[in-house]
Each structure stands twice: as C-alpha cells, then as structure tokens.
Amino acid sequence: MPSACDSPIDDIEDMVSADDPTPQERQYARKSIVPRARKRNTQQTTEVLQADSVIPGMQKIWMRTWGCSHNNSDGEYMAGQLAASGYKMTGRNQCADLWLLNSCTVKNPAEDHFRNSIKKAQEQDKKVVVAGCVPQAQPRMDYLKGLSIIGVQQIDRVVEVVDEAVKGHSVRLLGQKKDNGKRLGGARLDLPKIRKNPLIEIISINTGCLNACTYCKTKHARGDLASYPVEELVERARQSFQEGVCEIWLTSEDTGAYGKDIGTDLPTLLWRLVEEIPEGAMLRLGMTNPPYILEHLEEMSKILNHPRVYAFLHVPVQSASDSVLMDMKREYCADDFRRVADFLKDKVPGITIATDIICGFPGETDADFQETCDLVKEYRFPSLFINQFYPRPGTPAAKMTQVPAQVKKQRTKELSTLFHSYNPYHHKIGETQLVLVTEESFDSQYYVAHNKYYEQVLVPKRSEFKGKMIEVEIFEAGKHFLKGRPLDGSEVFTPSIAEPLQQGEVSGLSPIVLKPSHLHSSQSGDIVHSFLPRNRQSLF
C-alpha cells in the first residue's frame, strides 16, 4: 500500500537549441557541473563530506506553482524531467526532502506567498530550489541568498540544479539561451512533463512580449518576444493527442504577437493546428493584447467559428480611460478595444470576451474610473478579472504618484459589485448544448465541462463522462457556471484518439526494462521506474 506521502501532485502550476542534451543524457554528465559551494568554516568540513555523499535521484520532491498557465506549463515540464530522472514527486510537502517553488511576479500577494513558503521550508530544514519570474527578475533579493535558482530559460536543466541542491550546493542558472545568436522561444517542447490534468495540454507558443507596460514586472523576467517555429508547435500538439489529450490551451504573455520575430503570425499557426485536432477535441486560445489582434480580426473570426476551436478570447483592456492607458504605455486606446470586441461579437455569434481591469493605477481619477465602469456596463463581460493595483519594485509605475490605498480598495469593491449585479447566463436556461468534460469541480460534487463558448457547465459526476463530449440541457445558471442535464439516449462521444495517461504519468516517455543493477527502491519500498524518450536509443 502506498503511503500518504506518495499521493499525486496537487499543484504544479525557457530556451534551448535542438542540439542540447536530453535530461537522460545530462544525467550521465553531472560531473561536468561546477557548483558554487556555499562558504563554510573549517569546523563544517565533515558536513560538506556528508552532503557530497548524498546520492541524487532518490529524494522526494514537492512542487508548488503560482501564476499563469505559462508558468504552469513550465512546472509540468520540470516535474516531468525530475520524475524521468528517478526523483519521486509527492503531493505532501511535509514528506518531501526538497521543495521546488515556481514563482509569479505579477502581484505582491503572489510574491508574498512565495517568500513565506521559502521561510516555511527553511524552518522545516527542507532543501529549497526556486524557479519562475521572481528570482529571474530579482535574483539578489535578500530572502533568495544561498538558494539554488532555475531561470525561466533554463527549465531544461532542473535535474542538474536539484542534483546539486540535495548535495548541499547552491547553483544559479539564469542565462539566456540562444541558437546562432538568436533568442529562442523556450525549453524544447519534447521534454518530459507531467500534466496536471492528463486531458489538457498547455503549450507555450512564445515567451516575452513586444510591450513595455509601466506596471509589469513579468517583462523583467521573460524579456522580449521569442516564438517557437510553427512546425515544432504542430508536432507537440500531434504528440499530445497521441497521448489521449482532448483539449489544448495555447498560452504566452501575448499570443497575438506570436510570430512577429520569426516571420509568421498567429492565424498561420492556428490554421495548421486545426488540421491536427481530432473530432470532438478542442483548442483554447490564450490572452492577447488589443494592438496585435487588430491586424488579424477577419482571420481570427473565421478560426474562432471553427467547430474545434472555443469561441473564446481573453483581451485585457486594463482601463477604459485613454489617459490611464497612456500612462500604462499600453499602446492602444479604449476605442481599439471596442473595435476588437464589436467585430468579434458581430462575426462570432455568442463569443465569450474575457478581460482584465486594474483599479487605482497611479493618476487614475474618479472620471477615469467611471469610464471603466461604463465599459463594463456596456459589454457585461461574463468573465472579468479585477485587480487592485500593486506597485511592483523596479517598474516605472512604482515611482509614480500613487492613488491612496483606501481609494483603490473602494474602486475595486465598486467594480466588483457592478460585475456581480448581472447574470450573463440566465438566458441560456433551456438550451441544448454539446460540452466537453475535462475536469472535476473544486467541491468534487460535479464534473466540469465547457461548451463551444468556453462557458463552464457542471454535469453529473459519472465516470463514463470524463474526457467525453456529451449533449446536455441547461437547467440552471449561476454567476460563473451553468448546470447541464445529460439528454436521455444521446451519444457519448470520445474525442481522444488514444487512452489518456494516468494522473502523474510522465508524458513523452516510454517505460523500459532495466537491468537489476539499474533499479533502486524509494524510501517507501516502492520500485522507482526509469524512462526514456520515445524514438531515442537506450542509454544502457
């Protein structure tokens, strides 16, 4: 019987060339790493010898990820490489030997949680490795001293860093990855990964962006735009479907800017991906800023009308005041956003437009805020992310004259009240809809499905529905969800072209039979299996 510490991961929420070694090949070249050892006095000599005698690859690792789907994708890749190298990923932090903390720098609260987790780990004498946008942007922060760091462009080397960390060494990999002098889009897409949800593949199509928003700290970490080639993304999608995935999320800091650095564009990529999507499977497009999607509205409307693409688009407006948008350096005006929203609502009937709003940006007046409220009243967004402004250290906005904290809180509360004053789904009661079931609700009472417009539909929790396309009648509508009753006699359609991987199973790898000398036991007595990438020769 597995112990409580062997439960699956609860929360695992970038730049290499094709010639770089795989994680498995790198496992046999660990001696080439030159760790930066912590300074120790002579009385600690025995301690160093004990640390160096630790055998990496047998420890249990707990991972926590904060932030966006791009960060979650990075976390999935890091977990997969560690598991493929022999480490045991656990969902119980108290049972872990090492905590891998994958951070987000968008808001102060996310960084506060990250910092507190480091402190908690240290209090429990856990080894700590940090990753994500916080250490990439601010590696010299006092609370990061002495910790091993994996930069956002170095996630393919997570095994090396963890190997050294468990031996007591401090390693920091923060450099840029380039190929012939050109910055690349991210970690190789065929690396091992553990999907948080085996039915959903998150694909980062590019990293960084073309903007210089005055409030944004992520730019300091992710840098300028760097896109993956179309063929690599198509191949990754193809492999995902072969592993039983039935839903793909495309993500990046700005999907609309995709390809501008490599001579292509987002519609070109999307049309190629659509060719690979099996019947009944779906593709969801991630966030895009208004300036770049404006160039492709006609093509985007055709793609969003495709039966295997969700009619959903996340377009952050941030403010409806042109004065505030100028101070933010958002490179568009409120009318540009209206043009995007109006065109798509006209050409893609029923489309869901999600947006973000920042309340209390420096210099925002009562009149500016009223313009934003008027925009929400006009469009009645079904999905609205309301954020109170937090000044991030090192950003131009942090040096601007701040709106009083009480005013920011009041505006955030007022906008939230406005958002909750309308029900965007009530008119859908009685409709018959096809929905794709991919998740379980937070309260574990329902399965979560999505209709063509990526609206959340709760359905009965019946095992035969998971990963299936089913037909339901909508009988209830809440603020953030619909409830659907399966139609009697309707067909349950399976979009997956292969059996999905098991929860916690490593993607992109095939099990191999090892000689007895290559097997080792975990602390719980379970055999830890090793894996090799498909289409690669055995290293033994």
Side-chain angles (χ1 to χ4, degrees):
M1 290 285 292
S3 69
C5 295
D6 297 322
S7 62
I9 302 164
D10 293 324
D11 189 358
I12 50 171
E13 308 212 34
D14 291 356
M15 318 302 209
V16 296
S17 72
D19 297 325
D20 282 353
T22 67
Q24 290 73 25
E25 294 164 344
R26 192 173 294 115
Q27 190 176 358
Y28 289 84
R30 287 173 176 156
K31 293 182 180 179
S32 66
I33 302 169
V34 182
R36 188 181 74 193
R38 295 176 184 169
K39 292 183 180 179
R40 302 177 185 271
N41 59 35
T42 54
Q43 293 178 337
Q44 293 176 307
T45 303
T46 304
E47 229 176 321
V48 174
L49 291 174
Q50 289 175 345
D52 285 342
S53 68
V54 172
I55 301 175
M58 301 181 69
Q59 292 73 23
K60 292 183 179 181
I61 298 176
W62 177 71
M63 174 180 284
R64 173 74 192 274
T65 291
W66 293 264
C68 65
S69 54
H70 191 166
N71 225 33
N72 274 274
S73 177
D74 286 353
E76 291 182 348
Y77 275 121
M78 287 191 284
Q81 292 172 84
L82 290 167
S85 187
Y87 286 101
K88 175 73 173 179
M89 304 303 296
T90 179
R92 303 275 184 165
N93 58 18
Q94 66 269 32
C95 300
D97 301 294
L98 180 144
W99 289 14
L100 175 52
L101 304 174
N102 188 21
S103 62
C104 171
T105 192
V106 171
K107 301 178 188 178
N108 289 3
E111 183 172 349
D112 290 343
H113 286 303
F114 170 63
R115 182 170 54 248
N116 291 337
S117 293
I118 292 174
K119 182 179 179 181
K120 184 177 179 181
Q122 292 170 331
E123 289 172 348
Q124 298 180 31
D125 293 325
K126 305 291 187 181
K127 303 290 186 183
V128 180
V129 173
V130 295
C133 291
V134 172
Q136 180 71 51
Q138 300 172 282
R140 293 182 177 85
M141 294 292 286
D142 286 343
Y143 69 90
L144 297 177
K145 284 183 179 178
L147 298 182
S148 291
I149 297 177
I150 304 163
V152 296
Q153 298 183 10
Q154 301 284 345
I155 63 170
D156 64 310
R157 300 180 69 182
V158 61
V159 174
E160 299 174 41
V161 176
V162 169
D163 282 352
E164 295 305 318
V166 299
K167 293 190 291 186
H169 299 148
S170 175
V171 180
R172 295 190 167 201
L173 300 179
L174 292 163
Q176 302 277 327
K177 287 290 184 65
K178 297 181 179 179
D179 187 12
N180 294 322
K182 182 175 177 58
R183 190 164 176 265
L184 299 178
R188 231 178 40 236
L189 294 173
D190 63 349
L191 292 171
K193 74 187 301 187
I194 296 177
R195 297 186 182 96
K196 184 178 179 181
N197 184 337
L199 297 173
I200 298 175
E201 168 72 1
I202 306 172
I203 303 179
S204 301
I205 63 174
N206 55 268
T207 191
C209 69
L210 295 172
N211 298 333
C213 299
T214 56
Y215 57 83
C216 182
K217 190 75 175 176
T218 305
K219 177 80 171 187
H220 297 194
R222 296 285 182 179
D224 293 327
L225 179 71
S227 305
Y228 286 99
V230 170
E231 291 304 324
E232 290 184 21
L233 293 165
V234 170
E235 179 56 34
R236 181 61 195 179
R238 188 180 295 126
Q239 178 191 339
S240 301
F241 290 127
Q242 290 169 352
E243 292 178 335
V245 162
C246 60
E247 186 170 290
I248 283 183
W249 297 356
L250 300 185
T251 185
S252 76
E253 283 65 59
D254 187 351
T255 58
Y258 170 79
K260 285 186 170 293
D261 58 318
I262 58 173
T264 186
D265 55 39
L266 182 61
T268 299
L269 170 64
L270 294 177
W271 283 124
R272 286 294 311 281
L273 287 172
V274 162
E275 296 174 2
E276 302 295 331
I277 303 174
E279 183 181 355
M282 298 295 289
L283 181 147
R284 190 194 80 175
L285 185 60
M287 186 272 288
T288 175
N289 285 311
Y292 307 111
I293 204 67
L294 273 168
E295 304 173 22
H296 307 299
L297 286 179
E298 191 67 49
E299 281 300 294
M300 288 303 300
S301 66
K302 295 175 184 176
I303 292 165
L304 292 169
N305 273 311
H306 193 282
R308 294 193 289 277
V309 178
Y310 286 118
F312 167 90
L313 201 61
H314 180 192
V315 189
V317 65
Q318 305 299 8
S319 174
S321 163
D322 288 346
S323 174
V324 173
L325 290 172
M326 186 176 296
D327 288 341
M328 291 179 173
K329 288 193 174 180
R330 289 291 288 169
E331 300 184 12
Y332 60 86
C333 62
D335 281 347
D336 289 332
F337 174 84
R338 286 187 171 90
R339 190 173 146 212
V340 171
D342 292 345
F343 185 93
L344 293 177
K345 286 169 75 69
D346 178 57
K347 298 290 186 178
V348 189
I351 186 173
T352 296
I353 302 283
T355 196
D356 300 357
I357 288 174
I358 295 174
C359 295
F361 186 82
E364 183 186 63
T365 65
D366 289 342
D368 294 328
F369 178 65
Q370 187 57 52
E371 288 186 79
T372 299
C373 290
D374 291 342
L375 183 81
V376 174
K377 291 176 185 176
E378 179 182 355
Y379 287 95
R380 294 167 65 90
F381 301 104
S383 183
L384 176 61
F385 303 94
I386 302 170
N387 302 292
Q388 180 178 315
F389 175 74
Y390 289 96
R392 300 297 290 130
T395 62
K399 301 175 183 178
M400 299 177 182
T401 302
Q402 303 296 306
V403 172
Q406 191 56 42
V407 175
K408 289 193 292 186
K409 290 180 182 178
Q410 180 58 36
R411 289 177 182 170
T412 303
K413 181 179 179 181
E414 185 177 334
L415 190 59
S416 181
T417 299
L418 172 59
F419 173 61
H420 285 92
S421 68
Y422 58 86
N423 187 325
Y425 302 133
H426 186 74
H427 66 285
K428 293 181 177 285
I429 293 177
E431 288 185 1
T432 298
Q433 300 180 349
L434 282 174
V435 298
L436 179 59
V437 184
T438 56
E439 304 172 69
E440 186 178 286
S441 62
F442 286 116
D443 63 6
S444 300
Q445 299 301 305
Y446 300 92
Y447 276 151
V448 177
H450 292 90
N451 59 21
K452 163 68 177 172
Y453 312 103
Y454 203 68
E455 295 161 341
Q456 183 172 266
V457 182
L458 303 180
V459 300
K461 191 176 176 182
R462 287 160 49 182
S463 58
E464 65 268 26
F465 290 163
K466 191 73 176 287
K468 305 295 193 294
M469 181 79 76
I470 64 174
E471 192 172 13
V472 300
E473 179 186 358
I474 303 302
F475 68 92
E476 184 180 333
K479 176 62 181 176
H480 302 286
F481 66 88
L482 299 163
K483 285 187 179 178
R485 182 184 298 113
L487 295 182
D488 292 335
S490 63
E491 180 183 359
V492 176
F493 183 77
T494 303
S496 298
I497 60 175
E499 190 69 23
L501 301 180
Q502 296 298 308
Q503 189 72 45
E505 188 175 351
V506 182
S507 163
L509 303 181
S510 295
I512 59 172
V513 178
L514 298 181
K515 300 174 184 177
S517 60
H518 294 124
L519 293 176
H520 60 269
S521 297
S522 67
Q523 293 177 1
S524 64
D526 298 329
I527 292 295
V528 178
H529 297 279
S530 295
F531 295 83
L532 285 178
R534 291 194 177 103
N535 303 322
R536 295 190 188 276
Q537 293 182 344
S538 170
L539 298 178
F540 302 110

